[in-house]
Amino acid sequence: MTISQLLKLINDIIFLEIGGMPLIVIWLISGGAIFTVWMRFINIRAFKHAIDIVRGKYDNPDEVGEVSHFQALATALSATVGLGNIAGVAIAIRLGGPGACFWLTLAGFLGMTTKFVECTLGQKYRLVKPDGTVAGGPMYYLSEGLSKLGLPFFGKILSILFAILAICGALGSSSIYQSNQSKVGVAQVIPIIAERGWIYGILMVFLVGLVILGGIRRIASVAATIVPFMCGIYILGAAYVILTHFTAIPAAITTILTSAFSFKAATGGTLGAIIQGFRRSAFSNEAGLGIAAIAHSAAKTDEPVREGIVAVLEPFIDTILVCNLTALVIILTGAYNNPEFSNLGGSELTSAAFSTVIPGFPYILALAVFLFAFSTMISWGYYGQLCWEYLLGSRTAIIYKLLFLLAIFMGSVANPNSVIQFSDAMYLTMALPNLLGMYFLASQVSQDLKDYFSRF
């Protein structure tokens, strides 16, 4: 069996279909919908409060933790605002039609509550070490939370499974996918990289290595600088393209809504749009995977619910805002159905769409792609490390870091098609143990939420 055949087999197992809908997608949709109703639409009613928290209105430097609310949000966003917003959206539109954007947005809306629940749990069950450093995430809330419910063995199994899958996600998905797809994007303006990917790989390994060796504080510091900058560049460019096609916006929205409930066979109709929308949304904002809870666990606060409310902003910024900007650029410029661009991949299609309005923008986009990939990798380097340490202890962490850097290099020379299939599979598997445990623990979050607002 070749590597490509093995990757296809893994992909087929994870995306097992029931009535044409992948089971993993149903799992994510159900989780987001159930938690949104259960928490009484916290994603809407606490939105303004979330902004106030991030602005520092409730910051207390004396509270336990390693980073501020803003730094925790920036770190988590640096892991999600990445190539999923550039390449992923283009892939969703290519495979599911413009209607995929509607379902992607709905998934982002539901994901806001899922993020709230998992990040509240991350804070609630975090481990504060004697030296003041913090470890948290699904590994801890699945184990400790379910143990308190009288299910210690079940909790331990889920936490170990999650940690293993997260390490696979970091080594086999985040590092390889981000390195691979960012190389493709940068190669459009620096052609030599297309033939000599190892040059790009060595550069990325060097830069990522410098940051991840410094731990969460250095990662948070770098993320807090890069995320606003790269998002600002991208949003300004997209806004310019959209404004130049301002009169076509109503037609574009009509196209999205019509396609979202279409029976057009070429893109799989409504089902194809739903599948691609939810699949790319999960890959983009990671709601339901639990991984962001690791970053939010490190925030300085004594109120777990408060940090959970901060996490509500992640899918909003990442999916509802940035992904939709990308989608509008691709649809308004007509790039998605332009025969000239039919052979282009994800990031290449987005770049082509921008270039129809801003000729020199591919160079700026190449920089954005590089920064997006870099920021995602440094955060995932940290996520995978904590999962590794949970299983094997901190003394062996250097082995993980070396494997992570090796995976980045491998991604720079790997085949793009195999990488995309494998990365989707590895990412979404984390939702299986995480969401299962969250159903048992959500009643605690609901009670804590009521208590928080009664005191607030």
Side-chain angles (χ1 to χ4, degrees):
M1 179 179 289
T2 65
I3 293 179
S4 294
Q5 290 174 324
L6 176 61
L7 295 181
K8 185 179 184 303
L9 176 62
I10 294 174
N11 187 75
D12 290 343
I13 293 173
I14 292 172
F15 289 104
L16 177 68
E17 295 184 355
I18 296 181
M21 176 73 79
L23 182 61
I24 190 70
V25 174
I26 297 174
W27 185 242
L28 289 166
I29 294 173
S30 302
I34 290 171
F35 291 134
T36 297
V37 175
W38 198 338
M39 303 301 154
R40 296 171 54 213
F41 291 86
I42 188 66
N43 49 349
I44 296 176
R45 60 192 180 97
F47 190 82
K48 182 180 182 299
H49 185 46
I51 295 174
D52 288 338
I53 297 170
V54 173
R55 287 175 51 225
K57 187 174 181 178
Y58 304 96
D59 279 1
N60 182 351
D62 296 326
E63 290 181 330
V64 177
E66 296 188 76
V67 297
S68 69
H69 291 294
F70 173 73
Q71 287 179 319
L73 177 64
T75 301
L77 276 174
S78 72
T80 60
V81 179
L83 292 174
N85 304 84
I86 298 176
V89 173
I91 292 170
I93 294 173
R94 177 77 82 194
L95 299 178
C101 303
F102 172 84
W103 299 107
L104 182 144
T105 303
L106 177 60
F109 174 76
L110 298 177
M112 291 168 72
T113 309
T114 307
K115 276 285 179 85
F116 163 75
V117 175
E118 58 193 18
C119 291
T120 297
L121 288 170
Q123 270 279 335
K124 186 179 179 70
Y125 289 103
R126 66 180 178 174
L127 173 66
V128 181
K129 301 177 182 178
D131 62 357
T133 59
V134 175
M139 311 85 72
Y140 295 92
Y141 64 69
L142 291 174
S143 177
E144 298 301 318
L146 291 173
S147 180
K148 285 190 175 183
L149 294 178
L151 300 167
F153 180 74
F154 180 53
K156 198 65 178 178
I157 291 297
L158 289 185
S159 63
I160 291 174
L161 178 60
F162 173 84
I164 292 172
L165 294 174
I167 292 171
C168 291
L171 297 178
S173 179
S174 175
S175 54
I176 291 179
Y177 176 82
Q178 296 294 330
S179 175
N180 182 274
Q181 290 297 292
S182 62
K183 182 202 73 174
V184 172
V186 173
Q188 292 181 72
V189 297
I190 308 178
I192 191 175
I193 290 178
E195 299 176 0
R196 297 177 175 82
W198 58 270
I199 297 176
Y200 184 81
I202 291 175
L203 174 63
M204 191 63 87
V205 165
F206 174 73
L207 294 175
V208 172
L210 286 178
V211 179
I212 65 172
L213 293 176
I216 182 59
R217 295 182 184 180
R218 184 183 295 175
I219 291 170
S221 177
V222 172
T225 302
I226 289 180
V227 169
F229 173 71
M230 67 184 184
C231 281
I233 290 177
Y234 193 73
I235 289 172
L236 285 174
Y240 179 79
V241 174
I242 292 169
L243 287 174
T244 60
H245 293 76
F246 184 76
T247 56
I249 292 177
I253 294 175
T254 300
T255 298
I256 291 172
L257 294 176
T258 303
S259 178
F261 302 95
S262 166
F263 294 98
K264 187 176 180 181
T267 55
T270 298
L271 183 60
I274 292 174
I275 292 172
Q276 289 305 320
F278 274 88
R279 181 169 173 171
R280 301 326 305 183
S281 177
F283 186 77
S284 178
N285 63 49
E286 300 168 0
L289 309 191
I291 203 73
I294 296 176
H296 286 280
S297 297
K300 293 180 180 180
T301 185
D302 293 330
E303 297 280 1
V305 168
R306 181 168 292 164
E307 190 58 30
I309 289 174
V310 169
V312 164
L313 295 175
E314 279 181 53
F316 176 81
I317 295 171
D318 176 273
T319 305
I320 296 177
L321 179 59
V322 181
C323 282
N324 271 300
L325 287 175
T326 301
L328 282 174
V329 168
I330 293 172
I331 294 170
L332 286 171
T333 59
Y336 74 100
N337 60 3
N338 188 331
E340 294 181 20
F341 305 148
S342 60
N343 295 323
L344 297 183
S347 59
E348 295 170 306
L349 179 60
T350 303
S351 179
F354 272 102
S355 66
T356 60
V357 179
I358 311 174
F361 197 78
Y363 292 94
I364 299 175
L365 187 62
L367 174 62
V369 164
F370 178 82
L371 291 176
F372 279 152
F374 173 70
S375 65
T376 298
M377 284 188 278
I378 61 174
S379 294
W380 266 90
Y382 172 69
Y383 293 162
Q385 179 184 334
L386 285 194
C387 291
W388 180 282
E389 291 179 357
Y390 178 80
L391 294 175
L392 302 172
S394 58
R395 292 184 178 181
T396 61
I398 187 62
I399 298 175
Y400 162 79
K401 291 179 180 180
L402 291 175
L403 288 174
F404 186 78
L405 294 175
L406 176 62
I408 291 175
F409 180 80
M410 289 174 60
S412 69
V413 296
N415 178 275
N417 292 329
S418 298
V419 167
I420 291 173
Q421 283 189 337
F422 184 63
S423 63
D424 278 6
M426 288 296 96
Y427 254 69
L428 299 185
T429 51
M430 288 178 282
L432 297 174
N434 182 56
L435 280 177
L436 180 58
M438 284 170 63
Y439 282 123
F440 287 87
L441 300 171
S443 59
Q444 297 179 22
V445 177
S446 178
Q447 186 58 47
D448 290 346
L449 178 60
K450 293 176 183 176
D451 175 65
Y452 176 80
F453 276 114
S454 67
R455 290 184 290 108
F456 179 74

